[in-house]
Amino acid sequence: MSVASVLVETAIISALYALVAIGFTLIFGVGGVLNLAHGASITVGAYTTYYVTRVFGYGVGVGILAAVAASGLFGAVLYLGLVKRIQDEPILVMITTLVTAVAIEQVVVVLVGTEEKSIPALLRGNADILGTNVQLNMLAVFVLSWVVIAGLFAFVNYTKAGKALLATSMSHKGAALVGIEADRINLMTWVLAGAIAGLAGVFLGSFQTASYAMGQGPLVLSFTIVVLGGIGSIKGSVLGAYLIGFLEIMTIEYISPSLTGLTPLIVLVAVLLAKPEGLFGRELVEA
Amino acid sequence: MSSDTVSGGLFERLESSGLSLRYVLGLLGLVFMAVLPLLSEFELGIGIPGVFVFAVDNLLLLKLTGALYFGMFAMSWDVVSGYTGQISFGHGVFFAVGGYTSALLNIEFGIAPALAVPVGVVLAAVTGLVIGVPALRLRGPYLSLVTLVAPLILLNVFIWQSGTFGGERGLLGEDYFLGLGSDAALEVYYIALVLFTLIFALLFAVTRSDAGRVFTAIREDEDAVAAAGLNPAKFKTFAFVLSAAVGGLAGAMFVHSPVGGARPSELMSVIVNVEVIIAAILGGMGTIVGAAIGGVFLILLQDGLSNLGDALTIPIPGTETGVVLTPPIPFSQMDFLLFAVITLVLLLVLPGGIVRAGIRGGRRVLRRVRSDREDPVATDGGRVEDSNDGENADAGRAPERAVYRNYRDALEGDDDEH
């Protein structure tokens, strides 16, 4: 594989990784809790699209909208039903969200079964970029991911609600002092994070497949990216995602494809042990 | 079960033994487990036909064997997580290292399980050291992240080197411990029970010793421990290694029993790791007793739920599974979902655990019973010789509180301080 194609593949896969991690980092940054059901939002999104397109026969566009709505709703239910009353106890949040994640997996197993399901591609066909043959579907995923990331970035930095979110992530006390209601911001964060994760789930499912355990890998990926990029930093997450994406493509390309899932894990442990606060501090949140 | 038979007369007799009631109940529980095989062909249940009914037969003994090993898993988690407050999300690593080491030695080199198991224990302890020492640098959720990832790394290595480790399917063909298979259910059960009792006694003694007090102090305030001239790192490492060794022992014995095997799904999957935490927390974190009861109870609950699932599904003729049982995994149908939901509810309703709630409730009952005879407050308040347990029980949700506080501090950093 040529250097150009490694770069193209890295650019595409990393954009999706960034999309996967952003919701996780938002919740971590704003609420100060680790949402271990983040992978479950991805599963919810993917399976909603599966149902809407394959079972009810609608188009991919409707499937994506349904996935975003369903996973956003999932985020809201999770926050209002479980997390809100225990949000001051991060470890309890970790445990309950982990149990929720397991429960969602089981729901999928009961409803759909353990076999993998395919989700229709966004676009069919191939294109040639820098001498690399790329599926148009991947390209669509890349573009849409960046649109969402840029949109989120603009939302956080230039809208009132986004600025309130940013303020809450920086200082709960300060945000409360200027009249920002933390609970509303938290709810907004969980809905946003869920919706973005659901979208990422559709994308993941469209060029791999959807399976009941499909959320586990992205969850670990999210940790790694968030720890690498620094808590609650959107920019850090994107950078972290590109670093991980690059490392992963390199590992697959030059060492062994069977090591696919191992790279982010090892990077995570290495970063945690060497520099637990991440490569970029909390401050990057402002940017 | 027996609470409805409690009367004033029974209390007086139990109290005259000089032990507090809960110890007597605990010992009675163990004695009950020991004589259980004698009650063959009796049925224990909650009175609804087909639901939560356990007939005392070889099948039940094997189920209980699995439950006892799982109780040991939960106890090993409690030593490090419940006591020192270092929440481990990946204790399956230690079960897997113990189990796989022993199974591989047995399969590849023909070493008898009785000799292979101790090697597995040693290697698990070494793993505890390998994970525990670097983890000393980390606090709160960051440590939990490392422990969460550790079994995933191990699983990836197993899949990568699936020629040796059998990948996701695991290893096949390891011998039974002392050659005791499912036809020797009685012996298998008693080996598990004896081991369970010994491990319980060991961990109970350690956590009630001076070292156990330091563990608790680390959970409450690590800086204070250091300020008192004790090295928290030394005690945390000790807790990690002890916990890993016990987990490895349980894992290795489980693998060589007819109920278990060296498979990722049984030793180190996300579900197993979650179940261990659930068992210990539901039982009562930081008590050892809670973890022991929680672990055994959890497997029986799941078994009951899977029977319930069977009762709810339409039986397809010709697909009788017979004596195939693999607690605690796999639960392919409804039962695990039900279990997860029940767990979520219990976590929110009884965050301090069943044992602690039981002790508190029991004390209230005792106080009411005793109030006829003497001043209730004096009997309960100032017992110095029992202070360690008193602290555990009276502090109510204290262990979780302390851990939550530490996690909050680690996560929010200096957010609230200026």
Side-chain angles (χ1 to χ4, degrees):
Chain A
M1 204 155 98
S2 69
V3 179
S5 59
V6 166
L7 289 180
V8 169
E9 223 168 283
T10 302
I12 292 175
I13 202 82
S14 304
L16 182 53
Y17 284 2
L19 202 61
V20 165
I22 271 183
F24 190 75
T25 202
L26 273 182
I27 290 177
F28 200 4
V30 173
V33 293
L34 288 167
N35 172 21
L36 299 187
H38 187 66
S41 304
I42 288 171
T43 316
V44 167
Y47 274 91
T48 307
T49 308
Y50 163 74
Y51 264 98
V52 169
T53 56
R54 296 283 190 217
V55 179
F56 300 116
Y58 291 100
V60 188
V62 181
I64 289 178
L65 290 180
V68 170
S71 49
L73 186 69
F74 174 67
V77 170
L78 200 57
Y79 177 70
L80 293 176
L82 280 179
V83 177
K84 193 176 175 184
R85 67 185 79 187
I86 52 170
Q87 58 188 341
D88 293 332
E89 295 165 353
I91 182 65
L92 204 52
V93 173
M94 281 173 91
I95 292 166
T96 45
T97 50
L98 192 57
V99 175
T100 309
V102 173
I104 292 292
E105 281 184 13
Q106 294 301 314
V107 170
V108 173
V109 170
V110 168
L111 291 181
V112 191
T114 50
E115 70 270 29
E116 301 191 346
K117 298 288 180 193
S118 69
I119 288 175
L122 280 74
L123 291 172
R124 287 178 200 289
N126 292 294
D128 204 65
I129 301 168
L130 297 176
T132 314
N133 196 305
V134 183
Q135 291 174 3
L136 279 180
N137 183 43
M138 300 275 275
L139 210 57
V141 165
F142 171 76
V143 172
L144 281 178
S145 298
W146 267 109
V147 167
V148 171
I149 292 168
L152 187 71
F153 205 73
F155 169 74
V156 167
N157 285 297
Y158 302 112
T159 66
K160 217 167 183 186
K163 282 182 182 167
L165 189 149
L166 203 57
T168 314
S169 86
M170 283 188 262
S171 166
H172 282 248
K173 245 182 209 166
L177 280 174
V178 294
I180 297 168
E181 277 180 65
D183 280 353
R184 273 183 57 198
I185 295 298
N186 273 325
L187 178 60
M188 186 175 81
T189 312
W190 280 78
V191 171
L192 260 178
I196 295 174
L199 187 64
V202 181
F203 292 168
L204 270 177
S206 77
F207 65 88
Q208 296 165 357
T209 46
S211 78
Y212 73 100
M214 70 183 291
Q216 288 182 13
L219 178 66
V220 175
L221 201 68
S222 307
F223 293 151
T224 314
I225 291 169
V226 167
V227 168
L228 202 60
I231 296 170
S233 156
I234 295 177
K235 211 193 243 173
S237 293
V238 177
L239 287 173
Y242 269 80
L243 209 55
I244 292 292
F246 181 67
L247 280 175
E248 190 155 273
I249 300 283
M250 294 297 272
T251 317
I252 295 172
E253 207 43 49
Y254 299 111
I255 304 178
S256 162
S258 55
L259 287 175
T260 311
L262 205 54
T263 324
L265 300 177
I266 291 172
V267 173
L268 173 60
V269 172
V271 173
L272 276 177
L273 294 180
K275 209 169 179 307
E277 69 277 13
L279 297 182
F280 313 95
R282 266 187 97 95
E283 292 72 32
L284 253 172
V285 152
E286 294 170 67
Chain B
M1 265 186 271
S2 60
S3 59
D4 50 348
T5 64
V6 163
S7 69
L10 181 62
F11 272 126
E12 272 160 40
R13 247 175 294 140
L14 287 176
E15 277 170 15
S16 64
S17 63
L19 284 167
S20 58
L21 179 65
R22 58 181 186 275
Y23 291 133
V24 178
L25 286 178
L27 285 175
L28 281 178
L30 274 179
V31 170
F32 174 71
M33 295 285 276
V35 300
L36 186 72
L38 301 177
L39 306 169
S40 68
E41 305 311 323
F42 272 81
E43 287 200 347
L44 312 167
I46 55 171
I48 307 168
V51 178
F52 282 101
V53 173
F54 299 101
V56 182
D57 53 13
N58 281 358
L59 194 64
L60 178 71
L61 291 183
L62 288 176
K63 278 177 196 163
L64 283 173
T65 305
L68 286 169
Y69 285 124
F70 197 78
M72 284 185 246
F73 286 172
M75 282 193 278
S76 78
W77 182 88
D78 202 29
V79 175
V80 71
S81 298
Y83 277 85
T84 69
Q86 315 290 308
I87 303 288
S88 162
F89 276 87
H91 237 56
V93 163
F94 305 130
F95 317 149
V97 169
Y100 270 79
T101 306
S102 180
L104 277 175
L105 285 175
N106 179 236
I107 295 168
E108 302 281 331
F109 304 103
I111 296 171
L115 293 173
V117 168
V119 183
V121 174
V122 171
L123 218 65
V126 172
T127 313
L129 207 60
V130 168
I131 295 182
V133 170
L136 291 175
R137 286 173 50 93
L138 303 171
R139 286 199 179 184
Y142 297 104
L143 174 98
S144 293
L145 278 186
V146 168
T147 57
L148 186 69
V149 163
L152 296 171
I153 292 182
L154 196 62
L155 182 62
N156 269 285
V157 171
F158 283 3
I159 291 171
W160 178 36
Q161 298 292 338
S162 54
T164 310
F165 298 105
E168 291 196 57
R169 281 190 31 250
L171 299 170
L172 293 171
E174 65 277 355
D175 293 334
Y176 293 133
F177 189 75
L178 302 177
L180 298 167
S182 49
D183 49 340
L186 193 66
E187 288 84 349
V188 168
Y189 172 72
Y190 273 120
I191 289 174
L193 185 62
V194 167
L195 207 58
F196 178 84
T197 314
L198 288 177
I199 293 293
F200 174 73
L202 170 74
L203 296 183
F204 195 81
V206 168
T207 51
R208 267 71 178 170
S209 70
D210 289 350
R213 289 205 181 102
V214 179
F215 290 171
T216 319
I218 289 173
R219 180 183 72 205
E220 299 299 330
D221 191 341
E222 202 175 322
D223 296 333
V225 173
L230 295 162
N231 183 0
K234 201 174 78 181
F235 285 93
K236 279 205 270 186
T237 311
F238 173 53
F240 250 104
V241 171
L242 176 67
S243 171
V246 169
L249 173 66
M253 289 300 293
F254 180 64
V255 162
H256 291 295
S257 77
V259 284
R263 283 178 283 280
S265 61
E266 288 181 49
L267 292 175
M268 53 185 274
S269 71
V270 176
I271 290 185
V272 173
N273 292 324
V274 173
E275 279 174 341
V276 168
I277 301 172
I278 290 172
I281 291 190
L282 288 188
M285 194 169 135
T287 57
I288 298 295
V289 187
I293 296 175
V296 174
F297 175 74
L298 180 131
I299 298 300
L300 293 181
L301 175 69
Q302 281 182 344
D303 186 65
L305 284 176
S306 78
N307 291 340
L308 192 67
D310 291 345
L312 291 175
T313 51
I314 306 145
I316 303 157
T319 54
E320 299 269 309
T321 41
V323 203
V324 184
L325 39 87
T326 47
I329 291 290
F331 303 99
S332 51
Q333 291 302 316
M334 228 30 191
D335 49 320
F336 192 78
L337 178 58
L338 274 174
F339 169 73
V341 173
I342 291 176
T343 304
L344 277 178
V345 172
L346 278 177
L347 276 175
L348 292 175
V349 178
L350 283 180
I354 292 165
V355 165
R356 231 175 244 119
I359 291 174
R360 240 176 292 141
R363 287 202 173 161
R364 221 168 295 143
V365 173
L366 274 181
R367 223 170 291 150
R368 211 168 301 144
V369 172
R370 282 178 188 146
S371 62
D372 302 337
R373 312 195 301 269
E374 52 188 297
D375 177 21
V377 184
T379 53
D380 203 61
R383 273 189 311 184
V384 185
E385 80 278 9
D386 204 22
S387 63
N388 200 10
D389 288 293
E391 161 227 81
N392 271 329
D394 285 335
R397 294 163 61 179
E400 301 80 56
R401 291 279 158 215
V403 174
Y404 299 154
R405 198 183 50 236
N406 293 340
Y407 271 63
R408 203 156 50 231
D409 292 350
L411 271 173
E412 295 186 347
D414 44 6
D415 188 39
D416 282 338
E417 275 151 41
H418 27 98

